[in-house]
């Protein structure tokens, strides 16, 4: 039997293997809300320009509402023989209202229909991501305010470098996530043009009103070129790119949580809600949530590479290859949403071990730069000379098995006579972080100011 939705061109139905490779309903059924919204806007427009009668339009709108309710209630039967969400909705609409259902597809194609559905879906995902990211940012701001003066080691090359505060560290991720929000919002602005009415690729001869459908669906304007409209997946690629960067930031923080929660660091303790045990080692507390978030970037970036590879060799306009855009994108977007939710939970429940962090902050001669800066500032020593003098002081402390604050004034005088007892005021980690008052620095006062600015931004957004 030929597929009735295709028309009379085919005498027989597809081979079972063809049906298997061709059907997309198993995953694009999640478009049902967007698909029905697009169809309702299209029907309203067709009636306004006189292509549909008011009676047919009312029947179509009522029927589409019933289809939506059936899908929402879980009573709708999806058919793989009907390939996709568009044909499934139209077929059920015909069962409900009869002949008027066949008029709905006037002046549109599945090509512009799926592009519209996908844009609406991606737009909804972006709005969700922005809300989730800002919720995570606010949780980090709260931890930053709580730990604005909690000293911890700052690392370069994962080696102790200079003391910072835990609050400053949290605020670094707030800044990263702020850029992620900006990228998602920027992508949203670019995608917010309606493909509906572009039809298969060349537009339509019917006197449609594309501005009306664009406005009804919350788009800023209709797309300007029908060929581009139906063949464009830049909006998905750009959103996947933003998602990949966001996932990378979550992965970096996850890596730190994994390291910090080890017995060797003991900087933080993840709550029982986000930890698991071992089947054989009773003492274990595994940071599985953080590890899984760390791994999610593989799936998310994989989706970006996958779709980029699909699109790179396609001529205009639509090709069936583009059906491969959805599964990977759905999986990537689901993965990012889950990762953001899990990270927010971990940050909110995180127990911070201030004593362990403070002890570690003083290790590895973390205040060496403070000594060099003091020499420049108080003894008028050129920085390169101060760097050399400080290196000698570090070597002396290593010989004596102490930190820089443990050296005597005599030790310092032997290294350089210009050093006096005032130097001991800059050699503690607490004094070090307090001194970092330059804009963007780690001083507790700076952290509190930055946190207050972000709190105001996030709560007034």
């Amino acid at each position: 039997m030929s597929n009735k939705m295709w028309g009379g061109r085919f005498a027989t139905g597809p081979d079972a293997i063809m049906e298997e490779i061709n059907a997309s309903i198993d995953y694009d059924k999640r478009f049902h809300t967007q698909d029905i919204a697009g169809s309702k806007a299209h029907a309203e427009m067709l009636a306004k320009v006189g292509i549909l009668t008011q009676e047919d339009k009312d029947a179509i709108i009522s029927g589409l509402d019933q289809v939506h309710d059936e899908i929402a209630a879980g009573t709708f039967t999806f058919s793989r023989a009907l390939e996709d969400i568009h044909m499934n909705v139209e077929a059920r609409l015909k069962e409900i209202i009869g002949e008027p259902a066949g008029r709905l597809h006037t002046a549109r194609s599945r090509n512009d229909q799926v592009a519209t559905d996908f844009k609406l879906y991606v737009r909804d995902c972006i709005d969700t991501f922005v809300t989730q990211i800002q919720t995570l940012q606010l949780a980090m701001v709260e931890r930053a305010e709580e730990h604005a003066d909690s000293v911890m080691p700052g690392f370069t090359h994962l080696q102790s470098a200079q003391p910072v505060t835990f609050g400053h560290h949290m605020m670094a991720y707030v800044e990263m996530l702020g850029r992620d929000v900006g990228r998602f919002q920027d992508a949203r602005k670019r995608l917010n043009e309606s493909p509906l009415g572009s039809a298969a690729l060349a537009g339509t001869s019917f006197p449609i009103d594309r501005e009306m459908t664009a406005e009804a669906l919350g788009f800023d304007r209709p797309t300007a070129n029908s060929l581009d409209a139906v063949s464009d997946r830049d909006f998905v690629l750009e959103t996947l790119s933003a998602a990949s960067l966001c996932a990378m930031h979550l992965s970096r923080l996850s890596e730190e949580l994994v390291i910090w929660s080890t017995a060797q660091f003991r900087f933080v303790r993840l709550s029982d809600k986000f930890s698991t045990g071992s089947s054989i080692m009773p003492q274990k507390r595994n940071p599985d949530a953080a590890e899984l978030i760390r791994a999610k970037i593989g799936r998310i970036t994989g989706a970006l590479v996958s779709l980029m590879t699909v699109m790179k060799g396609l001529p205009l306009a639509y090709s069936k290859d583009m059906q491969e855009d959805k599964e990977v994108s759905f999986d990537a977007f689901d993965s990012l949403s889950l990762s953001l939710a899990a990270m927010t939970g971990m940050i909110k429940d995180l127990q911070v071990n201030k004593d362990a962090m403070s002890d570690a902050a003083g290790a590895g001669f973390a205040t060496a730069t403070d000594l060099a800066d003091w020499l420049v500032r108080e003894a008028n020593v050129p920085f390169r000379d101060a760097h050399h003098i400080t290196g000698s002081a570090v070597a002396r402390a290593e010989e004596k098995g102490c930190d820089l604050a443990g050296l005597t004034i005599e030790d310092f005088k032997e290294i350089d006579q210009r050093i006096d007892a005032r130097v001991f005021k800059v050699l503690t980690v607490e004094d070090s972080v307090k001194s970092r008052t330059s804009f963007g620095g780690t001083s507790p006062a700076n952290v509190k100011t930055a946190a207050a600015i972000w709190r105001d931004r996030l709560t007034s957004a």
Side-chain angles (χ1 to χ4, degrees), residues 72-309:
T75 59
F76 188 95
T77 301
F78 292 99
S79 168
R80 299 188 87 244
L82 293 172
E83 297 184 24
D84 56 34
I85 186 61
H86 323 298
M87 286 187 166
N88 269 265
V89 168
E90 187 174 329
R92 178 60 183 140
L93 182 64
K94 186 173 183 180
E95 291 175 353
I96 296 170
I97 68 171
E99 187 265 346
R103 302 184 185 279
L104 175 59
H105 208 54
T106 306
R108 74 175 184 184
S109 161
R110 280 190 298 173
N111 293 354
D112 62 335
Q113 194 176 358
V114 69
T116 303
D117 290 359
F118 210 176
K119 278 196 170 185
L120 291 171
Y121 180 83
V122 171
R123 193 175 69 185
D124 290 343
C125 287
I126 287 175
D127 292 345
T128 297
F129 295 151
V130 167
T131 298
Q132 286 187 292
I133 292 170
Q134 291 175 336
T135 301
L136 173 55
Q137 286 179 292
L138 190 56
M140 289 175 166
V141 165
E142 290 170 354
R143 302 322 300 269
E145 291 171 333
E146 181 184 353
H147 294 284
D149 57 359
S150 297
V151 181
M152 67 175 290
F155 299 97
T156 61
H157 309 279
L158 204 55
Q159 304 293 313
S160 184
Q162 291 178 297
V164 296
T165 66
F166 187 78
H168 194 56
H169 206 106
M170 284 289 99
M171 292 307 299
Y173 282 101
V174 172
E175 294 290 337
M176 289 186 209
L177 293 168
R179 294 193 295 273
D180 292 325
V181 167
R183 276 183 282 268
F184 279 120
Q185 291 175 332
D186 198 39
R188 192 190 194 282
K189 290 177 185 176
R190 249 185 304 283
L191 75 77
N192 210 35
E193 296 181 346
S194 174
L196 193 58
S198 298
L201 75 161
T204 178
S205 59
F206 289 96
I208 61 173
D209 185 344
R210 294 190 62 208
E211 285 77 12
M212 178 181 174
T213 51
E215 182 179 357
L217 294 170
F219 289 110
D220 294 329
R221 64 192 67 85
T223 51
N225 184 285
S226 59
L227 275 170
D228 176 52
V230 299
S231 61
D232 167 43
R233 291 298 181 271
D234 290 359
F235 64 95
V236 190
L237 288 165
E238 192 169 359
T239 305
L240 286 171
S241 178
S244 296
L245 280 164
C246 184
M248 180 267 287
H249 293 147
L250 297 179
S251 180
R252 294 182 72 180
L253 178 54
S254 295
E255 172 71 1
E256 294 192 312
L257 292 176
V258 169
I259 293 171
W260 293 347
S261 63
T262 61
Q264 290 72 28
F265 273 74
R266 298 183 300 108
F267 287 3
V268 301
R269 179 183 174 90
L270 298 175
S271 74
D272 291 349
K273 296 177 184 177
F274 296 98
S275 303
T276 64
S278 165
S279 63
I280 190 172
M281 295 170 284
Q283 83 281 10
K284 292 294 295 297
R285 287 177 55 84
N286 297 325
D288 281 7
E291 291 171 354
L292 288 166
I293 293 172
R294 185 175 60 184
K296 291 292 185 185
I297 187 173
R299 297 172 71 161
I300 295 168
T301 305
L304 172 62
V305 174
S306 174
L307 183 53
M308 190 79 77
T309 306

Side-chain angles (χ1 to χ4, degrees), residues 404-450:
L404 289 173
L407 294 176
T408 65
I409 189 60
E410 290 75 22
D411 290 323
F412 281 117
K413 288 289 188 183
E414 287 181 20
I415 295 167
D416 193 286
Q417 284 293 322
R418 289 170 289 188
I419 302 175
D420 60 48
R422 292 175 299 164
V423 74
F424 291 103
K425 294 182 179 179
V426 302
L427 296 182
T428 67
V429 292
E430 290 78 16
D431 286 330
S432 175
V433 297
K434 286 179 183 177
S435 72
R436 305 295 171 181
T437 56
S438 61
F439 182 77
T442 190
S443 73
N446 281 7
V447 173
K448 291 174 183 176
T449 298

Side-chain angles (χ1 to χ4, degrees), residues 27-28 31 114 118 322-330:
Y27 47 87
D28 71 12
F31 276 165
V114 69
F118 210 176
M322 292 167 67
Q323 185 168 291
E324 291 296 310
D325 59 358
K326 297 172 193 65
E327 279 187 285
V328 293
S329 299
F330 293 161

